[in-house]
């Protein structure tokens, strides 16, 4: 593993990896979106400084009205910042990888829809933890627009229920203790195994099973690059680790790639 003592050299090496690669998978976490103004979970000032993760287990949501109220309070607050957020240089750099025909797919733990807003095509984005932009009834599966449900909460409803069947409404995101979406999870494992370059951007790599996915890429023979502000438990498996602002680093990498591919 090479660490960021000579940033310039590491950026150059990653750009070289990208130019040579044919099937790049980019894996993003909450740190890819902090520069868009959306707090991550674990950093200082992040969501877990304000709320207790223990309150947000799926089982509690199913069984306890007070937990549901807390969930909607937290989720409503987070959605207000998601709605306003715009793609930042991380998302734009990844969108450029698709334009350069280098991107196999993005596997994202994020629920903010910013890869779509940045211009990546829908079929290239695997949302492992779902999306906050829609809501479903847990009983009859009727879908609701998030803005409509958000308005109900802002009008004073504490726990919204389905108009058709009175079932519990919940955003289409995966909570702790809730099953991962099978299709997306299988796709993520397969595409990672088949990739030749796997780039992690802005993830603490501690949430399972998502955190195992980079190791799957490594087993398939891919080079592994980790770009994150803080160290992660998987740094030892990486070919390159760059610690710093994901926006700055991705912008510099793409600048070099453009130069090398003669598109600047
Ligand atoms: P995390 O909060 O556990 O870790 C984020 C990591 O990003 C940290 O290690 C931090 O050092 C790094 N980071 C923060 N800002 C950075 C920046 N500007 N540049 C580089 N690195 C930066 O997040 P996670 O690993 O993605 O997993 C936690 C869960 O959080 C996921 O399940 C995800 O669904 C959820 N989440 C999503 C959003 C979102 O959609 N934007 C926001 C908060 C949490």
């Amino acid at each position: 593993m090479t660490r960021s003592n000579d940033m310039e050299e590491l950026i150059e090496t990653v750009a070289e990896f990208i130019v040579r690669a044919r099937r790049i998978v980019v894996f993003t976490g909450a740190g890819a979106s902090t520069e868009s103004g959306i707090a991550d979970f674990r950093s200082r000032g992040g969501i877990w400084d304000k709320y207790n993760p223990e309150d947000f287990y799926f089982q509690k949501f199913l069984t306890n009205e007070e937990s549901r109220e807390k969930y909607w309070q937290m989720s409503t607050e987070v959605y207000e910042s998601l709605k306003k957020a715009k793609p930042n240089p991380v998302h734009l750099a990844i969108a450029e990888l698709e334009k350069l025909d280098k991107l196999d797919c993005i596997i994202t733990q994020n629920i903010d829809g910013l890869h779509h807003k940045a211009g990546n095509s829908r079929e290239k984005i695997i949302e492992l933890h779902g999306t906050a932009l829609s809501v479903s009834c847990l009983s009859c599966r009727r879908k609701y627009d998030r803005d409509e449900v958000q308005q109900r909460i802002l009008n004073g409803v504490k726990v919204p229920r389905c108009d058709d069947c009175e079932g519990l409404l919940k955003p289409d995101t995966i909570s702790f203790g809730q099953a991962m979406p099978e299709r997306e999870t299988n796709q993520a494992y397969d595409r990672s195994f088949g990739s030749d370059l796997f780039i992690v951007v802005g993830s603490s790599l501690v949430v399972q099973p998502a955190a195992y996915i980079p190791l799957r890429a490594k087993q398939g023979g891919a080079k592994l690059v980790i770009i994150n502000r803080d160290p992660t438990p998987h740094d030892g498996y990486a070919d390159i680790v760059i610690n710093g602002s994901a926006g700055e680093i991705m912008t510099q990498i793409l600048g070099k790639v453009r130069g090398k591919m003669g598109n600047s």
Side-chain angles (χ1 to χ4, degrees), residues 14-28:
V14 177
E16 199 55 48
F17 284 174
I18 291 175
V19 171
R20 287 204 212 119
R22 301 163 69 98
R23 293 178 311 280
I24 301 176
V25 172
V26 181
F27 179 89
T28 57

Side-chain angles (χ1 to χ4, degrees), residues 28-35 38-43 47 78 82 90 109-114 129 174 176 201-207 227-232 244-247:
T28 57
S33 293
T34 52
E35 293 171 47
I38 305 169
D40 62 13
F41 276 171
R42 292 175 181 76
S43 296
I47 298 187
V78 170
L82 295 194
V90 175
Q109 294 172 273
N110 294 341
I111 54 171
D112 54 30
L114 286 178
H129 294 166
I174 307 297
F176 297 123
V201 188
S203 177
S204 59
L205 295 183
V206 298
V207 178
I227 298 166
N228 200 48
R229 203 174 49 207
D230 298 307
T232 81
S245 148

Side-chain angles (χ1 to χ4, degrees), residues 44-261:
R44 191 175 301 163
I47 298 187
W48 297 150
D49 269 0
K50 196 161 172 196
Y51 293 98
N52 180 358
E54 298 287 317
D55 286 329
F56 301 111
Y57 276 82
F58 188 53
Q59 202 55 28
K60 285 197 175 168
F61 186 89
L62 292 179
T63 55
N64 184 301
E65 186 72 1
E66 200 187 323
S67 296
R68 291 196 274 269
E69 281 185 25
K70 275 192 193 157
Y71 176 92
W72 275 106
Q73 196 187 337
M74 181 275 287
S75 180
T76 299
E77 187 184 316
V78 170
Y79 184 63
E80 283 301 299
S81 71
L82 295 194
K83 240 176 29 164
K84 291 194 290 250
K86 294 196 172 57
N88 70 52
V90 175
H91 305 102
L92 299 177
I94 299 168
E96 198 175 338
L97 285 179
E98 182 176 338
K99 288 200 194 97
L100 294 171
D101 207 17
K102 288 283 177 188
L103 187 72
D104 181 68
C105 68
I106 302 165
I107 301 170
T108 188
Q109 294 172 273
N110 294 341
I111 54 171
D112 54 30
L114 286 178
H115 291 300
H116 299 84
K117 278 194 195 168
N120 279 111
S121 34
R122 182 169 290 277
E123 65 274 11
K124 293 270 184 197
I125 305 169
I126 301 175
E127 292 177 307
L128 262 194
H129 294 166
T131 175
L133 306 189
S134 59
V135 170
S136 296
C137 169
L138 293 181
S139 302
C140 73
R141 304 310 307 171
R142 176 174 162 182
K143 281 241 180 231
Y144 289 82
D145 177 58
R146 180 68 195 256
D147 286 327
E148 192 250 300
V149 179
Q150 185 81 350
Q151 201 49 54
R152 293 193 204 181
I153 307 277
L154 297 174
N155 291 344
V157 172
K158 291 204 156 65
V159 178
R161 286 187 170 267
C162 180
D163 296 335
D164 288 345
C165 74
E166 279 290 300
L168 291 168
L169 298 189
K170 185 177 174 295
D172 292 326
T173 55
I174 307 297
S175 296
F176 297 123
Q178 191 170 4
M180 297 279 290
E182 206 177 308
R183 189 172 54 90
E184 282 82 355
T185 307
N186 290 338
Q187 251 185 24
Y189 282 123
D190 290 349
R191 303 286 275 272
S192 300
F193 193 75
S195 69
D196 55 4
L197 175 61
F198 191 97
I199 307 176
V200 175
V201 188
S203 177
S204 59
L205 295 183
V206 298
V207 178
Q208 292 292 356
Y212 175 69
I213 291 172
L215 304 185
R216 187 80 187 126
K218 220 33 211 164
Q219 286 167 351
K223 289 201 185 311
L224 174 61
V225 172
I226 298 180
I227 298 166
N228 200 48
R229 203 174 49 207
D230 298 307
T232 81
H234 293 342
D235 288 358
Y237 298 102
D239 297 277
I240 301 274
V241 175
I242 310 182
N243 293 133
S245 148
E248 282 171 27
I249 294 164
M250 289 299 286
T251 302
Q252 286 186 44
I253 291 172
L254 262 294
K256 297 259 186 216
V257 170
R258 247 178 265 127
K260 286 174 190 290
M261 292 182 71

